[in-house]
Amino acid sequence: MTDAALDIALFDVALFGEAMLLLVADRPGPLENAESFYKRTAGAETNVAIGLARLGLKVGWASRLGTDSMGRYLIAAMKGEGIDCSHVICDAAQRTGFQFKGRVTDGSDPPVEYHRKGSAAGQMGPADVDEAWLRSARHLHATGVFAAISDTSLQAALKTMDVMRAAGRTISFDPNLRPTLWTSTEAMRYWINELASRADWVLPGLEEGSLLTGETEPEAIAKFYRRLGAKLVVVKLGAEGAYYDSDVVGTGRIEGFPVAEVIDTVGAGDGFAAGVVSALLEGKSVPEAVRRGAWIGARAVQVLGDTEGLPTRAQLNEAGL
């Protein structure tokens, strides 16, 4: 590909990350008591990819899967959403990760049991980053999950952000903490903040922002990442909405959208990210983008799986967002 061709945006957004098969229990209670499960897709980056694709953005996703039934199911699901999977490697020598998720009735986070150690995606490294393909996207959305699954995936994550920064593309970053995947809290804090320092838009939750920065208030958390170089920081406040600090419009708060019943909190942050990123890439203002994110996040907690609540463009238009 020539240098001139690199400036042609084939995609709106590129993402790197692990997809997993998700098995959701059919009833509340301990996972060991569940006898039937609903099959779904899971993965922070793939949730965002699906959210963006449903809104009509052109999305490319890079990963590794096994050639097992789980891998075949996942890649078919992603292609079915209209996502470019040309840079997903299906390796017969590797296996696809999966997870079990329980059911709760009190609105708390459901129990999740991961089976991803040694998975195909964990074998990804810097050599898996096709720089020309990556630069053909206008934007990179990254999360702390891909960086956490292995030492080589961490190096790949750093490379994706460095490539896009050098190309003058925008980058969004959701810390999406997975403490059990890191060797220590200190290592997690160091590398997540290192990744955040490479991003234009940083999207921490209040609790994870506090763990990463030592601050307890959203204003202080936002200032921490603004000092690291972020042009926009949006601190997610759950049902209370979100706080933003931007170099364009300053600071502000967006109220959360009321939810009659919380079914499953998993995936809400990914829906929020899809809303914010899609709106900003469409040229919407920061408050409009954060409001869209809050609306999609509220939809996400009202459904069983991670992606059922992600809206189509028609549904978004109907809501006036």
Side-chain angles (χ1 to χ4, degrees):
M1 185 177 290
T2 66
D3 289 342
L6 294 179
D7 292 328
I8 299 174
L10 301 179
F11 304 104
D12 293 302
V13 184
L15 305 96
F16 287 72
E18 180 173 30
M20 291 174 291
L21 184 74
L22 171 62
L23 297 169
V24 188
D26 67 340
R27 67 185 70 177
L31 273 170
E32 61 269 24
N33 292 344
E35 295 183 353
S36 299
F37 295 84
Y38 298 99
K39 185 164 71 171
R40 299 287 191 275
T41 64
E45 296 84 6
T46 50
N47 290 344
V48 176
I50 291 170
L52 294 169
R54 286 189 187 166
L55 295 179
L57 280 76
K58 294 180 180 179
V59 180
W61 169 60
S63 189
R64 281 180 176 262
L65 296 168
T67 57
D68 46 37
S69 61
M70 294 186 290
R72 295 194 300 272
Y73 169 80
L74 291 167
I75 198 164
M78 297 300 285
K79 288 180 177 178
E81 296 284 354
I83 294 166
D84 178 87
C85 297
S86 62
H87 282 64
V88 177
I89 296 172
C90 296
D91 186 348
Q94 303 295 333
R95 64 178 183 84
T96 305
F98 66 98
Q99 67 181 82
F100 291 100
K101 183 166 68 173
R103 299 280 296 279
V104 294
T105 57
D106 59 0
S108 62
D109 293 339
V112 178
E113 184 176 288
Y114 293 97
H115 296 267
R116 72 196 311 177
K117 185 175 178 60
S119 67
Q123 311 306 310
M124 292 181 73
D128 290 292
V129 179
D130 183 331
E131 296 188 28
W133 178 84
L134 179 55
R135 288 194 297 263
S136 72
R138 290 200 291 145
H139 180 82
L140 170 70
H141 180 71
T143 85
V145 181
F146 178 52
I149 58 178
S150 70
D151 292 340
T152 55
S153 70
L154 171 59
Q155 295 308 311
L158 291 164
K159 182 176 178 178
T160 63
M161 299 180 87
D162 289 343
V163 167
M164 291 299 262
R165 279 177 66 88
R169 307 293 193 264
T170 51
I171 302 169
S172 52
F173 179 68
D174 185 341
N176 231 317
L177 299 185
R178 298 291 188 273
T180 57
L181 294 179
W182 294 95
T183 56
S184 68
T185 299
E186 291 72 26
M188 178 178 70
R189 185 180 293 117
Y190 174 83
W191 285 114
I192 292 293
N193 286 335
E194 184 66 27
L195 290 159
S197 72
R198 291 162 158 79
D200 300 285
W201 312 332
V202 181
L203 311 171
L206 181 62
E207 288 187 12
E208 62 187 4
S210 180
L211 178 59
L212 292 167
T213 68
E215 304 289 351
T216 57
E217 298 300 321
E219 295 84 356
I221 293 169
K223 282 186 172 60
F224 178 93
Y225 289 110
R226 293 277 281 125
R227 285 194 295 268
L228 286 185
K231 297 179 177 66
L232 168 67
V233 182
V234 183
V235 182
K236 294 166 285 188
L237 305 176
E240 302 303 315
Y243 171 84
Y244 63 83
D245 187 334
S246 164
D247 64 352
V248 176
V249 297
T251 63
R253 283 181 181 258
I254 296 296
E255 294 297 319
F257 286 80
V259 173
E261 181 183 8
V262 176
I263 302 296
D264 186 347
T265 58
V266 178
D270 301 327
F272 187 95
V276 171
V277 170
S278 63
L280 291 175
L281 291 178
E282 292 165 19
K284 298 284 188 182
S285 69
V286 168
E288 289 173 321
V290 178
R291 190 164 187 268
R292 181 187 290 185
W295 180 72
I296 296 179
R299 284 176 57 94
V301 302
Q302 299 179 68
V303 296
L304 185 63
D306 294 0
T307 61
E308 285 95 323
L310 300 175
T312 62
R313 174 61 62 170
Q315 291 169 325
L316 187 74
N317 292 341
E318 185 178 346
L321 295 164

